[in-house]
Amino acid sequence: MRGIIIVSLLSLQSLVVSSSPTSPDFNFFYWVNYWPGAICDSQNGCCPPTKGNTASDFIIHGLWPQFNNGTWPAFCDQTNLFDISKISDLVCQMEKKWTEWGVWACPSNETNLWEHEWNKHGTCVQSIFDHHSYFLTNLKFRHKLNLLNILIQKGIKPTDGFYGLDEIKNAIKCVIGFAPGIECNEDVKGNKQLFQIYICLDNYAKEFVECPYVPDKSCASKIKFPKFPERDPLSESLSVMSSVSTT
Ligand code: U2P
C-alpha cells in the first residue's frame, strides 16, 4: 500500500514538473526608462509623441532579457511578431507611459517603439511572457516605481543642474535596495547627461535584484539632469522639430 502511494506521488510530481511553464533561458532583465530631455537636447530638438502624454516624466524604453556576461538575446522568433490587437486594452496606458520621442523621424510613429521592443526583446522571453503580459509587466513596474519622484525627493531635479552619478544611483538604491545602471549621452555642448536608467529584475521579472552585470554607459562622475522639453506657448506644441516632415 505504502509503495503504491509513493509511486502515485512520484508520478504526480513528474506531471506537475512537465506541465509547468518552461524556465527562462536568460539570467535577468534590464527594465529601462529614458529621459526625453536628454534626447531632445542632444540634437537641438526632437519630435514629441503625436498622441498621449507629454508631461515631464521618465518614459519606458523596454524590458530586456540579459545574460550574466553582458550579452543578450534579440529577435528570437519571426513567427510571433508584434500584433497590437493582442494589447488593445493597454494602449491608453501605454500612450501615457511608453511613448517615442523621435530624433530621426517626425511625426514619431506611436507604435514603432512597441513593435520594436516586442520583436527584439519580447520574442526572446516567451518562456514566461506572451504579448499581453510582456507589455503589462512594463506598465506595472512603471506604476510601482516613480523614478522622477524618487530623484526629486532627494533634491535631484531636471533643471539643467549637475549631480553626482553616485548621488543619483543612491537615491534609487534607497528605495529599491539596489543601485541601478545609468546611461549618459551628451548635450550639444558635450556635457554628459542623464539619459537612461537601468533597473535590474530577476529572470521572471518579479523582483528588483542586484545587477549581475552593471552596464558601463559612458557617464562622468557629475552629470547633467536636463530640463524636460518645453512647450511653445503660441502653438501649444513642443518647441522642437515636429513641423519638419509634416510639410
Ligand atoms: O545598445 C543598443 C540597443 O541594444 C539593446 N541592448 C543594449 C544593451 C543591453 O545590455 N541590452 C540590450 O538589449 C537595446 O535595444 P533597443 O530595444 O533599444 O533596440 C539598446 O538600445
Side-chain angles (χ1 to χ4, degrees):
M1 180 64 175
R2 200 160 161 242
I4 295 173
I5 293 174
I6 291 173
V7 171
S8 317
L9 282 176
L10 284 176
S11 25
L12 191 66
Q13 192 185 25
S14 65
L15 198 70
V16 170
V17 169
S18 63
S19 64
S20 59
T22 28
S23 44
D25 39 10
F26 47 88
N27 303 119
F28 68 103
F29 280 101
Y30 285 140
W31 180 59
V32 182
N33 282 251
Y34 73 93
W35 181 249
I39 290 190
C40 300
D41 83 351
S42 67
Q43 305 280 330
N44 258 338
C46 66
C47 193
T50 40
K51 284 195 224 156
N53 196 3
T54 49
S56 174
D57 213 342
F58 282 91
I59 302 287
I60 301 170
H61 184 159
L63 184 61
W64 305 343
Q66 297 290 130
F67 298 121
N68 283 340
N69 65 4
T71 64
W72 59 91
F75 298 108
C76 299
D77 182 3
Q78 289 298 308
T79 67
N80 187 18
L81 297 177
F82 181 67
D83 177 355
I84 199 162
S85 71
K86 294 181 176 164
I87 55 163
S88 48
D89 61 316
L90 301 178
V91 164
C92 282
Q93 289 182 69
M94 287 166 61
E95 282 175 347
K96 293 198 184 86
K97 308 291 182 194
W98 201 340
T99 52
E100 179 156 12
W101 290 72
V103 280
W104 311 122
C106 283
S108 49
N109 178 314
E110 181 184 41
T111 60
N112 264 0
L113 179 58
W114 306 338
E115 179 172 3
H116 175 76
E117 293 302 299
W118 170 263
N119 291 348
K120 183 167 180 178
H121 307 285
T123 55
C124 301
V125 298
Q126 293 180 82
S127 52
I128 56 164
F129 290 136
D130 58 15
H131 260 77
H132 197 269
S133 52
Y134 176 77
F135 287 97
L136 185 61
T137 300
N138 275 277
L139 291 169
K140 280 188 174 162
F141 272 100
R142 185 63 187 72
H143 289 298
K144 184 168 171 178
L145 196 65
N146 188 328
L147 290 167
L148 183 59
N149 267 359
I150 290 173
L151 295 180
I152 287 176
Q153 303 255 319
K154 293 282 181 186
I156 302 167
K157 299 179 185 153
T159 52
D160 282 349
F162 282 74
Y163 299 93
L165 182 62
D166 287 341
E167 197 184 341
I168 293 173
K169 288 184 178 179
N170 284 336
I172 295 167
K173 185 176 177 180
C174 273
V175 176
I176 65 172
F178 306 102
I182 303 289
E183 177 174 359
C184 294
N185 67 1
E186 286 183 5
D187 68 12
V188 284
K189 293 185 190 150
N191 293 309
K192 298 281 188 189
Q193 59 180 359
L194 177 56
F195 172 34
Q196 302 207 95
I197 299 183
Y198 290 59
I199 304 287
C200 292
L201 306 175
D202 69 285
N203 60 356
Y204 285 89
K206 299 247 184 257
E207 311 278 352
F208 300 119
V209 293
E210 187 84 58
C211 289
Y213 183 91
V214 182
D216 173 18
K217 299 288 184 179
S218 63
C219 292
S221 56
K222 282 208 171 259
I223 61 174
K224 189 174 112 176
F225 192 2
K227 285 183 183 156
F228 199 81
E230 279 172 20
R231 281 184 181 283
D232 177 339
L234 290 179
S235 71
E236 272 301 302
S237 64
L238 293 157
S239 58
V240 287
M241 57 192 200
S242 51
S243 56
V244 171
S245 68
T246 49
T247 53

